[in-house]
Amino acid sequence: MKGKVLIVEDEAEIRDLIKYNLESNGYTVIALETGEKCLSTARSERPDLILLDLMLPVLDGFDICRQLKEDSTTKLIPVVILTA
């Protein structure tokens, strides 16, 4: 396996498409639909990369990214923010 990628995207079609393409290329993928789940999952799973949607319900991508970068267990994980 190439690495572990955490996808946080609330639109199922987009999330499934990204997941399919990454898995087809040998990546392990964890796909979530909410920011709240992202924070706890990033701490426990320690992914190599987080693909983070900007426009999420409750916690948006900016808030999630800020919290990830303030946490000593997740601050070094690269985050790529996706937006329409």
Coordinates of all heavy atoms in Angstrom, one line a residue:
M1 N 0.8 -1.2 0.0 CA 0.0 0.0 0.0 C 0.9 1.3 0.0 O 1.9 1.3 0.6 CB -0.9 0.0 1.2 CG -2.1 -0.9 1.2 SD -3.3 -0.3 0.0 CE -4.3 -1.8 -0.2
K2 N 0.4 2.3 -0.7 CA 1.1 3.5 -0.8 C 1.0 4.4 0.4 O 2.0 5.1 0.7 CB 0.6 4.3 -2.0 CG 1.0 3.6 -3.3 CD 0.5 4.4 -4.5 CE 1.0 3.8 -5.8 NZ 0.6 4.6 -6.9
G3 N -0.1 4.4 1.1 CA -0.3 5.3 2.2 C -1.8 5.4 2.6 O -2.6 4.8 1.9
K4 N -2.0 6.1 3.6 CA -3.4 6.2 4.1 C -3.9 7.7 3.9 O -3.2 8.6 4.4 CB -3.5 5.9 5.6 CG -4.8 5.8 6.2 CD -4.8 5.5 7.7 CE -4.0 4.3 8.1 NZ -4.1 4.1 9.5
V5 N -5.1 7.8 3.3 CA -5.7 9.1 3.0 C -7.0 9.2 3.7 O -7.8 8.3 3.6 CB -5.8 9.4 1.5 CG1 -6.5 10.7 1.2 CG2 -4.5 9.2 0.8
L6 N -7.2 10.3 4.4 CA -8.5 10.6 5.0 C -9.2 11.6 4.2 O -8.7 12.7 3.9 CB -8.3 11.1 6.4 CG -9.5 11.6 7.2 CD1 -10.5 10.5 7.4 CD2 -9.1 12.1 8.6
I7 N -10.4 11.2 3.7 CA -11.3 12.1 2.9 C -12.4 12.6 3.8 O -13.1 11.8 4.4 CB -11.9 11.4 1.7 CG1 -10.8 10.8 0.8 CG2 -12.8 12.3 0.9 CD1 -11.3 9.9 -0.3
V8 N -12.6 13.9 3.8 CA -13.8 14.5 4.5 C -14.6 15.3 3.5 O -14.2 16.4 3.1 CB -13.3 15.4 5.7 CG1 -14.5 15.8 6.5 CG2 -12.3 14.6 6.6
E9 N -15.7 14.7 3.1 CA -16.5 15.3 2.0 C -18.0 14.9 2.3 O -18.3 13.8 2.5 CB -16.1 14.8 0.7 CG -17.0 15.1 -0.5 CD -17.2 16.6 -0.7 OE1 -16.2 17.3 -1.1 OE2 -18.4 17.1 -0.6
D10 N -18.9 15.9 2.4 CA -20.2 15.6 2.8 C -21.1 15.2 1.6 O -22.1 14.6 1.8 CB -20.9 16.8 3.5 CG -20.9 18.1 2.6 OD1 -20.0 18.3 1.8 OD2 -21.9 18.9 2.8
E11 N -20.7 15.4 0.3 CA -21.4 15.0 -0.8 C -20.9 13.6 -1.2 O -19.8 13.4 -1.6 CB -21.2 15.9 -2.0 CG -21.9 17.3 -1.7 CD -21.9 18.2 -3.0 OE1 -22.1 17.6 -4.1 OE2 -21.6 19.4 -2.8
A12 N -21.9 12.6 -1.1 CA -21.5 11.2 -1.3 C -20.9 10.9 -2.6 O -20.0 10.1 -2.7 CB -22.8 10.3 -1.0
E13 N -21.4 11.5 -3.7 CA -20.9 11.2 -5.0 C -19.5 11.6 -5.2 O -18.7 10.9 -5.7 CB -21.8 11.9 -6.1 CG -23.2 11.5 -6.1 CD -24.1 12.3 -5.1 OE1 -23.6 13.3 -4.6 OE2 -25.2 11.8 -4.8
I14 N -19.1 12.8 -4.7 CA -17.8 13.3 -4.7 C -16.9 12.4 -3.9 O -15.8 12.0 -4.3 CB -17.7 14.8 -4.4 CG1 -18.5 15.6 -5.4 CG2 -16.2 15.2 -4.3 CD1 -18.6 17.0 -5.0
R15 N -17.3 12.1 -2.7 CA -16.5 11.3 -1.7 C -16.3 10.0 -2.3 O -15.1 9.5 -2.3 CB -17.3 11.2 -0.4 CG -16.6 10.5 0.7 CD -17.4 10.5 2.0 NE -18.6 9.8 1.9 CZ -19.8 10.4 2.0 NH1 -19.9 11.7 2.2 NH2 -20.9 9.8 1.9
D16 N -17.3 9.3 -2.9 CA -17.1 8.0 -3.5 C -16.2 8.0 -4.7 O -15.4 7.1 -4.9 CB -18.5 7.4 -3.9 CG -19.3 7.1 -2.7 OD1 -18.8 7.0 -1.5 OD2 -20.6 6.9 -2.9
L17 N -16.2 9.0 -5.5 CA -15.4 9.2 -6.7 C -13.9 9.3 -6.3 O -13.0 8.6 -6.8 CB -15.8 10.3 -7.5 CG -15.0 10.6 -8.8 CD1 -15.1 9.4 -9.7 CD2 -15.4 11.9 -9.4
I18 N -13.6 10.2 -5.3 CA -12.3 10.3 -4.8 C -11.8 9.0 -4.2 O -10.6 8.6 -4.5 CB -12.2 11.5 -3.8 CG1 -12.5 12.8 -4.5 CG2 -10.8 11.6 -3.2 CD1 -12.7 14.0 -3.5
K19 N -12.6 8.4 -3.4 CA -12.2 7.2 -2.7 C -11.9 6.1 -3.8 O -10.9 5.4 -3.7 CB -13.3 6.7 -1.8 CG -13.0 5.4 -1.1 CD -14.1 5.0 -0.2 CE -13.7 3.7 0.5 NZ -14.8 3.0 1.2
Y20 N -12.7 5.9 -4.7 CA -12.5 4.9 -5.8 C -11.2 5.1 -6.5 O -10.4 4.2 -6.7 CB -13.7 5.0 -6.8 CG -13.4 4.1 -8.0 CD1 -13.6 2.7 -8.0 CD2 -13.0 4.7 -9.2 CE1 -13.4 2.0 -9.1 CE2 -12.7 3.9 -10.3 CZ -12.9 2.5 -10.2 OH -12.6 1.8 -11.3
N21 N -10.9 6.4 -6.9 CA -9.7 6.7 -7.6 C -8.4 6.4 -6.8 O -7.4 5.9 -7.3 CB -9.7 8.1 -8.2 CG -10.6 8.1 -9.4 OD1 -10.2 7.6 -10.5 ND2 -11.7 8.7 -9.3
L22 N -8.5 6.8 -5.5 CA -7.3 6.6 -4.6 C -7.1 5.1 -4.4 O -6.0 4.6 -4.5 CB -7.5 7.3 -3.3 CG -7.4 8.9 -3.4 CD1 -7.8 9.5 -2.1 CD2 -5.9 9.2 -3.8
E23 N -8.2 4.4 -4.1 CA -8.1 2.9 -3.8 C -7.6 2.2 -5.1 O -6.8 1.3 -5.0 CB -9.4 2.4 -3.3 CG -9.7 2.8 -1.9 CD -11.0 2.2 -1.4 OE1 -11.9 1.9 -2.2 OE2 -11.2 2.1 -0.2
S24 N -8.0 2.6 -6.3 CA -7.6 2.0 -7.5 C -6.1 2.2 -7.7 O -5.5 1.5 -8.5 CB -8.3 2.7 -8.7 OG -9.7 2.3 -8.6
N25 N -5.5 3.2 -7.1 CA -4.1 3.5 -7.2 C -3.3 3.0 -6.0 O -2.2 3.4 -5.8 CB -3.9 5.0 -7.5 CG -4.2 5.3 -8.9 OD1 -3.5 5.0 -9.8 ND2 -5.4 5.9 -9.1
G26 N -3.9 2.2 -5.2 CA -3.2 1.5 -4.1 C -3.1 2.2 -2.8 O -2.4 1.8 -1.9
Y27 N -3.9 3.2 -2.6 CA -4.0 3.9 -1.3 C -5.1 3.3 -0.4 O -6.1 2.8 -0.9 CB -4.3 5.4 -1.5 CG -3.2 6.2 -2.1 CD1 -3.2 6.3 -3.5 CD2 -2.2 6.7 -1.4 CE1 -2.2 7.0 -4.2 CE2 -1.1 7.4 -2.0 CZ -1.1 7.5 -3.4 OH -0.1 8.2 -4.0
T28 N -4.8 3.3 0.9 CA -5.8 3.0 1.9 C -6.6 4.2 2.1 O -6.0 5.3 2.3 CB -5.2 2.5 3.2 OG1 -4.4 1.4 2.9 CG2 -6.2 2.2 4.3
V29 N -7.9 4.1 2.1 CA -8.8 5.3 2.2 C -9.8 5.2 3.4 O -10.4 4.2 3.6 CB -9.6 5.6 0.9 CG1 -10.5 6.8 1.1 CG2 -8.6 5.8 -0.2
I30 N -9.9 6.3 4.1 CA -10.9 6.4 5.2 C -11.8 7.6 4.7 O -11.3 8.7 4.5 CB -10.3 6.7 6.5 CG1 -9.4 5.7 7.0 CG2 -11.5 6.9 7.6 CD1 -8.5 6.1 8.1
A31 N -13.1 7.4 4.5 CA -13.9 8.4 3.9 C -15.0 8.8 4.9 O -15.7 7.9 5.4 CB -14.6 7.9 2.6
L32 N -15.1 10.0 5.3 CA -16.0 10.6 6.2 C -16.9 11.7 5.7 O -16.5 12.3 4.7 CB -15.3 11.1 7.5 CG -14.3 10.2 8.2 CD1 -13.5 10.9 9.2 CD2 -15.0 9.0 8.8
E33 N -18.0 11.9 6.3 CA -18.9 13.0 5.8 C -19.0 14.2 6.7 O -19.6 15.2 6.3 CB -20.3 12.4 5.5 CG -21.0 11.8 6.6 CD -22.2 11.1 6.2 OE1 -22.1 10.1 5.5 OE2 -23.3 11.6 6.6
T34 N -18.4 14.1 7.9 CA -18.5 15.3 8.8 C -17.2 15.6 9.4 O -16.3 14.8 9.6 CB -19.5 15.0 10.0 OG1 -18.9 14.0 10.8 CG2 -20.9 14.6 9.5
G35 N -17.1 16.9 9.8 CA -15.8 17.4 10.4 C -15.6 16.9 11.8 O -14.5 16.6 12.2
E36 N -16.7 16.6 12.5 CA -16.6 16.1 13.9 C -15.9 14.8 13.9 O -15.0 14.5 14.7 CB -17.9 16.0 14.6 CG -18.7 17.3 14.7 CD -19.5 17.7 13.5 OE1 -19.5 17.0 12.5 OE2 -20.0 18.8 13.5
K37 N -16.2 13.9 12.9 CA -15.6 12.6 12.8 C -14.2 12.7 12.4 O -13.3 11.9 12.7 CB -16.4 11.7 11.8 CG -17.7 11.3 12.3 CD -18.4 10.5 11.2 CE -19.8 10.1 11.6 NZ -20.5 9.4 10.6
C38 N -13.9 13.8 11.6 CA -12.5 13.9 11.1 C -11.5 14.1 12.2 O -10.4 13.5 12.2 CB -12.5 15.2 10.2 SG -10.8 15.6 9.6
L39 N -11.8 14.9 13.2 CA -10.9 15.2 14.2 C -10.5 14.0 15.0 O -9.3 13.7 15.2 CB -11.4 16.3 15.2 CG -11.7 17.7 14.5 CD1 -12.5 18.6 15.4 CD2 -10.4 18.3 14.0
S40 N -11.5 13.2 15.4 CA -11.2 12.0 16.2 C -10.5 11.0 15.4 O -9.6 10.3 15.8 CB -12.4 11.5 16.9 OG -13.4 11.1 15.9
T41 N -10.9 10.8 14.1 CA -10.3 9.8 13.2 C -8.9 10.2 12.9 O -8.0 9.3 12.9 CB -11.1 9.7 11.9 OG1 -12.5 9.3 12.3 CG2 -10.6 8.6 11.0
A42 N -8.6 11.4 12.7 CA -7.2 11.8 12.4 C -6.3 11.5 13.6 O -5.2 11.1 13.4 CB -7.2 13.3 12.0
R43 N -6.8 11.7 14.8 CA -6.0 11.4 16.0 C -5.7 9.9 16.1 O -4.6 9.5 16.5 CB -6.7 12.0 17.2 CG -6.7 13.5 17.3 CD -7.4 13.9 18.6 NE -7.6 15.4 18.5 CZ -8.8 15.9 18.4 NH1 -9.9 15.2 18.5 NH2 -8.9 17.2 18.4
S44 N -6.7 9.1 15.8 CA -6.6 7.7 16.1 C -5.9 7.0 14.9 O -5.1 6.0 15.1 CB -7.9 7.0 16.4 OG -8.8 7.2 15.3
E45 N -6.2 7.4 13.7 CA -5.7 6.7 12.5 C -4.4 7.2 11.9 O -3.7 6.5 11.2 CB -6.7 6.7 11.4 CG -8.0 5.9 11.7 CD -7.8 4.5 11.7 OE1 -6.9 4.0 11.0 OE2 -8.5 3.8 12.4
R46 N -4.1 8.5 12.2 CA -2.8 9.1 11.8 C -2.6 8.9 10.3 O -1.7 8.3 9.8 CB -1.6 8.6 12.5 CG -1.6 8.8 14.0 CD -1.2 10.2 14.4 NE -1.2 10.4 15.8 CZ -0.1 10.2 16.6 NH1 1.0 9.8 16.1 NH2 -0.3 10.4 17.9
P47 N -3.5 9.5 9.4 CA -3.4 9.3 8.0 C -2.1 10.1 7.5 O -1.6 11.0 8.1 CB -4.7 10.0 7.4 CG -5.0 11.0 8.5 CD -4.6 10.3 9.8
D48 N -1.7 9.7 6.3 CA -0.6 10.4 5.6 C -1.0 11.7 5.0 O -0.1 12.6 4.8 CB 0.1 9.5 4.6 CG 0.6 8.2 5.2 OD1 1.5 8.3 6.1 OD2 0.1 7.1 4.9
L49 N -2.3 11.8 4.7 CA -2.8 13.0 4.0 C -4.3 13.1 4.4 O -5.0 12.1 4.5 CB -2.6 12.9 2.5 CG -3.3 14.0 1.6 CD1 -2.5 15.3 1.8 CD2 -3.2 13.6 0.2
I50 N -4.8 14.4 4.5 CA -6.2 14.6 4.7 C -6.7 15.5 3.5 O -6.1 16.5 3.2 CB -6.5 15.3 6.0 CG1 -6.0 14.5 7.2 CG2 -8.0 15.7 6.1 CD1 -6.1 15.2 8.5
L51 N -7.7 15.0 2.8 CA -8.4 15.8 1.8 C -9.7 16.3 2.4 O -10.5 15.5 2.8 CB -8.7 14.9 0.6 CG -7.5 14.3 -0.2 CD1 -8.0 13.4 -1.3 CD2 -6.6 15.4 -0.7
L52 N -9.7 17.6 2.6 CA -10.8 18.2 3.4 C -11.6 19.2 2.6 O -11.1 20.1 2.0 CB -10.1 19.0 4.5 CG -10.9 19.7 5.5 CD1 -11.9 18.8 6.3 CD2 -10.0 20.4 6.5
D53 N -12.9 18.9 2.5 CA -13.9 19.8 1.9 C -14.0 21.1 2.7 O -14.0 21.1 4.0 CB -15.2 19.1 1.8 CG -16.3 20.0 1.1 OD1 -15.9 20.9 0.3 OD2 -17.5 19.7 1.2
L54 N -14.1 22.2 2.1 CA -14.2 23.5 2.7 C -15.6 23.7 3.3 O -15.8 24.2 4.4 CB -13.8 24.6 1.8 CG -13.6 26.0 2.3 CD1 -12.5 26.0 3.4 CD2 -13.3 27.0 1.2
M55 N -16.6 23.4 2.5 CA -18.0 23.7 2.9 C -18.7 22.4 3.5 O -19.3 21.6 2.8 CB -18.8 24.1 1.6 CG -18.2 25.3 1.0 SD -18.1 26.8 2.0 CE -19.8 27.2 2.2
L56 N -18.5 22.3 4.8 CA -19.1 21.2 5.5 C -20.1 21.7 6.5 O -20.0 22.8 7.0 CB -18.0 20.4 6.3 CG -17.0 19.6 5.5 CD1 -15.8 19.2 6.4 CD2 -17.6 18.5 4.8
P57 N -21.1 20.9 6.9 CA -22.1 21.4 7.9 C -21.5 21.4 9.3 O -20.5 20.6 9.5 CB -23.2 20.3 7.8 CG -22.6 19.1 7.2 CD -21.5 19.6 6.3
V58 N -21.9 22.2 10.1 CA -21.5 22.3 11.5 C -20.1 22.9 11.6 O -19.9 24.1 11.9 CB -21.6 21.0 12.4 CG1 -21.3 21.3 13.8 CG2 -23.0 20.4 12.2
L59 N -19.1 22.1 11.4 CA -17.7 22.6 11.4 C -17.2 22.7 9.9 O -17.2 21.7 9.2 CB -16.8 21.6 12.1 CG -16.7 21.6 13.6 CD1 -15.8 20.5 14.1 CD2 -16.2 23.0 14.2
D60 N -16.8 23.9 9.5 CA -16.4 24.0 8.1 C -14.9 23.6 8.0 O -14.2 23.4 9.1 CB -16.6 25.4 7.5 CG -15.8 26.5 8.2 OD1 -14.7 26.2 8.8 OD2 -16.2 27.6 8.1
G61 N -14.4 23.5 6.8 CA -13.0 23.1 6.6 C -12.0 24.0 7.3 O -10.9 23.5 7.7
F62 N -12.2 25.3 7.4 CA -11.3 26.2 8.0 C -11.2 25.8 9.5 O -10.1 25.8 10.1 CB -11.7 27.6 7.9 CG -11.6 28.2 6.5 CD1 -12.7 28.7 5.8 CD2 -10.3 28.2 5.9 CE1 -12.5 29.2 4.6 CE2 -10.2 28.7 4.6 CZ -11.3 29.2 3.9
D63 N -12.3 25.6 10.2 CA -12.3 25.3 11.6 C -11.6 23.9 11.9 O -10.8 23.8 12.8 CB -13.7 25.2 12.2 CG -14.4 26.6 12.2 OD1 -13.7 27.6 12.4 OD2 -15.6 26.6 12.1
I64 N -11.9 23.0 11.0 CA -11.3 21.7 11.2 C -9.8 21.8 11.0 O -9.0 21.2 11.8 CB -11.9 20.7 10.2 CG1 -13.4 20.4 10.5 CG2 -11.1 19.3 10.2 CD1 -14.1 19.8 9.4
C65 N -9.3 22.4 9.9 CA -7.9 22.6 9.7 C -7.2 23.3 10.8 O -6.1 22.9 11.3 CB -7.7 23.3 8.4 SG -6.0 23.4 7.8
R66 N -7.8 24.3 11.4 CA -7.3 25.1 12.5 C -7.1 24.1 13.7 O -6.0 24.1 14.3 CB -8.2 26.2 12.9 CG -7.6 27.2 13.9 CD -8.5 28.4 14.1 NE -8.8 29.1 12.9 CZ -10.0 29.2 12.3 NH1 -11.0 28.5 12.8 NH2 -10.2 29.9 11.2
Q67 N -8.1 23.3 14.0 CA -8.0 22.4 15.1 C -7.0 21.3 14.9 O -6.2 20.9 15.8 CB -9.4 21.8 15.4 CG -10.4 22.8 16.0 CD -11.7 22.2 16.3 OE1 -11.7 21.1 16.9 NE2 -12.8 22.9 16.0
L68 N -6.9 20.8 13.6 CA -5.9 19.8 13.3 C -4.5 20.4 13.5 O -3.6 19.7 14.1 CB -6.0 19.4 11.9 CG -7.2 18.5 11.6 CD1 -7.4 18.3 10.1 CD2 -7.1 17.1 12.2
K69 N -4.2 21.6 13.1 CA -2.9 22.2 13.2 C -2.5 22.7 14.6 O -1.4 22.8 14.9 CB -2.8 23.4 12.2 CG -2.9 23.0 10.8 CD -1.9 21.8 10.4 CE -2.0 21.3 9.1 NZ -1.1 20.2 8.8
E70 N -3.5 22.8 15.5 CA -3.3 23.2 16.9 C -3.0 21.9 17.8 O -2.6 22.0 18.9 CB -4.5 23.9 17.5 CG -4.6 25.3 16.9 CD -5.8 26.1 17.3 OE1 -6.7 25.4 18.0 OE2 -5.9 27.3 17.0
D71 N -3.4 20.8 17.3 CA -3.2 19.5 18.0 C -1.9 18.9 17.7 O -1.5 18.6 16.6 CB -4.3 18.5 17.6 CG -4.4 17.3 18.4 OD1 -3.4 16.7 18.8 OD2 -5.5 16.8 18.7
S72 N -1.1 18.6 18.8 CA 0.2 18.0 18.6 C 0.3 16.7 17.9 O 1.2 16.3 17.2 CB 1.0 17.9 19.9 OG 0.3 17.0 20.8
T73 N -0.8 15.9 18.0 CA -0.8 14.6 17.3 C -1.2 14.7 15.8 O -0.9 13.7 15.1 CB -1.8 13.6 18.0 OG1 -3.2 14.2 17.9 CG2 -1.5 13.4 19.5
T74 N -1.8 15.8 15.4 CA -2.2 15.9 14.0 C -1.6 17.1 13.2 O -1.8 17.2 12.0 CB -3.7 16.0 13.9 OG1 -4.1 17.2 14.6 CG2 -4.4 14.8 14.4
K75 N -0.8 17.9 13.9 CA -0.3 19.1 13.2 C 0.6 18.9 12.1 O 0.7 19.8 11.2 CB 0.3 20.1 14.3 CG 1.6 19.6 14.8 CD 2.2 20.6 15.8 CE 3.5 20.2 16.4 NZ 4.0 21.1 17.4
L76 N 1.3 17.8 12.0 CA 2.2 17.5 10.9 C 1.6 16.8 9.7 O 2.2 16.6 8.7 CB 3.4 16.7 11.4 CG 4.3 17.5 12.4 CD1 5.4 16.6 12.9 CD2 4.8 18.8 11.9
I77 N 0.3 16.4 9.8 CA -0.4 15.8 8.7 C -0.7 16.8 7.6 O -1.4 17.8 7.9 CB -1.7 15.1 9.2 CG1 -1.4 14.0 10.3 CG2 -2.4 14.4 8.0 CD1 -2.6 13.5 10.9
P78 N -0.3 16.6 6.4 CA -0.6 17.5 5.3 C -2.1 17.5 5.1 O -2.8 16.5 5.1 CB 0.1 17.0 4.1 CG 1.1 16.0 4.6 CD 0.6 15.5 5.9
V79 N -2.7 18.7 4.8 CA -4.1 18.9 4.5 C -4.2 19.6 3.2 O -3.6 20.7 3.0 CB -4.8 19.7 5.6 CG1 -6.3 20.0 5.3 CG2 -4.6 19.1 7.0
V80 N -5.0 19.0 2.3 CA -5.4 19.6 1.1 C -6.9 20.0 1.1 O -7.7 19.1 1.4 CB -5.1 18.7 -0.2 CG1 -5.6 19.3 -1.4 CG2 -3.6 18.4 -0.3
I81 N -7.2 21.3 1.0 CA -8.6 21.7 1.1 C -9.2 21.7 -0.3 O -8.6 22.3 -1.3 CB -8.7 23.1 1.7 CG1 -8.2 23.0 3.2 CG2 -10.1 23.6 1.6 CD1 -8.2 24.3 4.0
L82 N -10.3 21.0 -0.4 CA -11.1 21.0 -1.7 C -12.3 21.9 -1.6 O -12.9 22.0 -0.5 CB -11.6 19.5 -1.9 CG -10.5 18.4 -1.9 CD1 -11.2 17.1 -2.0 CD2 -9.5 18.6 -3.0
T83 N -12.6 22.5 -2.7 CA -13.8 23.3 -2.7 C -14.4 23.4 -4.1 O -13.6 23.2 -5.1 CB -13.6 24.7 -2.1 OG1 -14.8 25.5 -2.0 CG2 -12.6 25.5 -3.0
A84 N -15.7 23.7 -4.2 CA -16.3 23.8 -5.5 C -15.8 25.1 -6.1 O -15.8 25.3 -7.3 CB -17.8 23.8 -5.4

